[in-house]
Amino acid sequence: EMTDQEREFQDKIDRDIKIEPKDWMPDDYRATLIRQIGQHAHSEIVGQLPEGNWITRAPTLERKAILLAKVQDEAGHGLYLYCAAETLGVTRDEITEMLLDGRMKYSSIFNYPTLNWADIGAVGWLVDGAAIMNQVPLQRTSYGPYSRAMIRICKEESFHQRQGYDAIRKMAEGSPEQKKMAQDALNRLWFPSLMMFGPSDKDSVHSAQSMAWKIKINTNDELRQKFVDQTVPQIEFLGLDLPDPGIKWNEERGHYDYTDPDWSEFFNVIKGNGPCNVDRLAARNKAWDDGEWVRDGLLEHARKKAARKHA
Ligand code: FAQ
């Protein structure tokens, strides 16, 4: 049974009126947003690690400048998203500490390694491609600050996807060795990219309520299918082999059929057992500890400044 307040809230959602920070909202709506926006923010920050790893080894000055800009953009996305989460009554420090001790998640994809330069192209093409497929509809999400952050993020994310496609295209059209590297990167990153959309709809515990609240606009499987449909022609254009023998155009459905990722691998990765989980969390913990003196210094400076003002 809904209370009057809950009915009024749902009515606003149904009429596409944005919910703003000072509006009344159900506790679970707030908690779900903190979880999703927080995880999203953490993904942007942890997502800098696999690509940042290649900045010093980019093959040309131009590629290096592009990658540097892209990785910096991800930091900016993290910051907008932390600010959006803070409007819900948590501090950035609180949710950062929840990431660092494993109480909050970040996207499964960043627990896979980037082994060589082709992987960097494939990350931009596939990982940013999947990210933007999920984020474009989130521009219409019901929570105002999240929706506005998404609008800005999507502009930059589409540049990221294009730069990745451009890098992988150079490899696919290059020497036989380069083409082989591009193929190998596609083969390894394909299924992890499909996992970014979350578990299949039947195992997605949050989807029904999140969609009723328009926190999510599409189901996980809807977006995964859209991603497959968009990406298969790109693979063909690049002259690469399909990474999954199950990919086949289905005339009746008007979509490509494909093989689902190995869901036991997915659940294992999000439990902390992927190839890079330990490294990623160690890197974030080290950055947090190394930065403590800077945070302390800023707080002390602010304290002295405030004391001078009141003296
Ligand atoms: N990884 O009930 P659902 C980027 C968890 S883009 C880890 O379906 P929901 C850009 C889920 O939290 C990547 N965990 O959950 C970039 C839940 O567990 P919990 C970030 C996952 O929330 C590119 C459980 O499984 N984008 O960073 C994943 O309704 C390149 C059950 O799942 C976003 O976060 C996963 N893939 O749907 C940066 C987008 N999937 O919390 C650098 C916003 C599910 O109950 C370089 N988020 N889980 O313990 C969303 O749209 C949603 O949260 C989904 C999951 C669709 C990810």
Side-chain angles (χ1 to χ4, degrees), residues 32 35-51 70-71 74-75 77 81 103-111 123-124 127-132 134-135 138 146 150 153 157 160 192-201 203-208 210-211 215-220 223-224 263 266-267 269-271:
T32 300
R35 177 183 63 80
Q36 181 168 320
I37 300 173
Q39 280 184 196
H40 196 163
H42 298 328
S43 303
E44 302 283 355
I45 300 302
V46 177
Q48 294 182 289
L49 296 169
E51 289 180 293
K70 191 231 187 245
V71 172
E74 308 298 358
H77 298 176
L81 288 164
R103 278 176 295 153
M104 274 180 94
K105 296 189 169 76
Y106 55 89
S107 183
S108 50
I109 187 71
F110 303 118
N111 293 308
V123 165
V127 175
D128 288 271
I132 197 173
N134 163 282
Q135 288 169 345
L138 288 177
Y146 191 26
M150 280 298 117
I153 289 175
E157 212 76 81
H160 296 171
S193 298
L194 294 188
M195 292 176 193
M196 288 176 70
F197 297 96
S200 70
D201 291 350
D203 295 319
S204 171
V205 287
H206 302 296
S207 276
S210 287
M211 287 177 72
I215 290 175
K216 280 169 87 165
I217 310 294
N218 303 92
T219 74
N220 300 354
L223 291 174
R224 191 169 11 252
W263 292 121
F266 168 79
F267 286 113
V269 169
I270 68 174
K271 254 192 273 156

Side-chain angles (χ1 to χ4, degrees), residues 65-302:
I66 294 169
L67 185 59
L68 196 55
K70 191 231 187 245
V71 172
Q72 283 177 338
D73 285 351
E74 308 298 358
H77 298 176
L79 296 186
Y80 313 145
L81 288 164
Y82 283 127
C83 290
E86 285 190 313
T87 65
L88 293 157
V90 283
T91 66
R92 189 171 147 196
D93 283 10
E94 277 164 353
I95 54 176
T96 300
E97 277 160 9
M98 286 170 77
L99 166 73
L100 297 180
D101 65 20
R103 278 176 295 153
M104 274 180 94
K105 296 189 169 76
Y106 55 89
S107 183
S108 50
I109 187 71
F110 303 118
N111 293 308
Y112 291 85
T114 43
L115 302 177
N116 56 47
W117 181 254
D119 285 13
I120 296 303
V123 165
W125 171 35
L126 301 172
V127 175
D128 288 271
I132 197 173
M133 190 61 83
N134 163 282
Q135 288 169 345
V136 164
L138 288 177
Q139 295 177 105
R140 290 179 288 121
T141 192
S142 60
Y143 188 56
Y146 191 26
S147 133
R148 291 187 288 273
M150 280 298 117
I151 293 169
R152 173 111 187 240
I153 289 175
C154 282
K155 291 194 178 125
E156 294 176 344
E157 212 76 81
S158 61
F159 151 73
H160 296 171
Q161 197 271 347
R162 296 299 292 263
Q163 69 83 33
Y165 190 68
D166 183 66
I168 203 83
R169 186 174 167 188
K170 193 92 184 169
M171 302 285 288
E173 292 173 353
S175 67
E177 288 81 3
Q178 284 174 311
K179 187 168 181 183
K180 215 171 136 212
M181 283 172 74
Q183 183 69 55
D184 172 59
L186 168 61
N187 293 350
R188 278 182 294 104
L189 286 163
W190 175 255
F191 286 111
S193 298
L194 294 188
M195 292 176 193
M196 288 176 70
F197 297 96
S200 70
D201 291 350
K202 65 176 182 357
D203 295 319
S204 171
V205 287
H206 302 296
S207 276
Q209 182 60 73
S210 287
M211 287 177 72
W213 278 331
K214 296 188 186 166
I215 290 175
K216 280 169 87 165
I217 310 294
N218 303 92
T219 74
N220 300 354
D221 286 332
E222 280 168 11
L223 291 174
R224 191 169 11 252
Q225 180 72 63
K226 266 186 101 167
F227 175 76
V228 171
D229 290 348
Q230 172 183 284
T231 310
V232 170
Q234 294 173 348
I235 297 172
E236 286 167 347
F237 180 84
L238 291 171
L240 296 176
D241 295 331
L242 295 173
D244 160 18
I247 293 176
K248 198 169 171 288
W249 179 252
N250 183 323
E251 191 65 54
E252 211 168 289
R253 293 201 306 122
H255 292 290
Y256 286 96
D257 290 337
Y258 62 94
T259 310
D260 256 338
D262 176 351
W263 292 121
S264 62
E265 176 180 322
F266 168 79
F267 286 113
N268 200 35
V269 169
I270 68 174
K271 254 192 273 156
N273 304 321
C276 301
N277 297 60
V278 171
D279 283 1
R280 299 301 185 227
L281 275 190
R284 290 314 308 154
N285 270 289
K286 180 174 188 304
W288 184 248
D289 295 343
D290 289 352
E292 191 177 7
W293 68 272
V294 179
R295 296 191 300 278
D296 288 350
L298 288 170
L299 284 174
E300 185 58 18
H301 176 69

Side-chain angles (χ1 to χ4, degrees), residues 55-70:
I55 291 172
T56 54
R57 289 172 285 174
T60 67
L61 179 60
E62 193 191 8
R63 293 283 174 202
K64 180 172 175 145
I66 294 169
L67 185 59
L68 196 55
K70 191 231 187 245

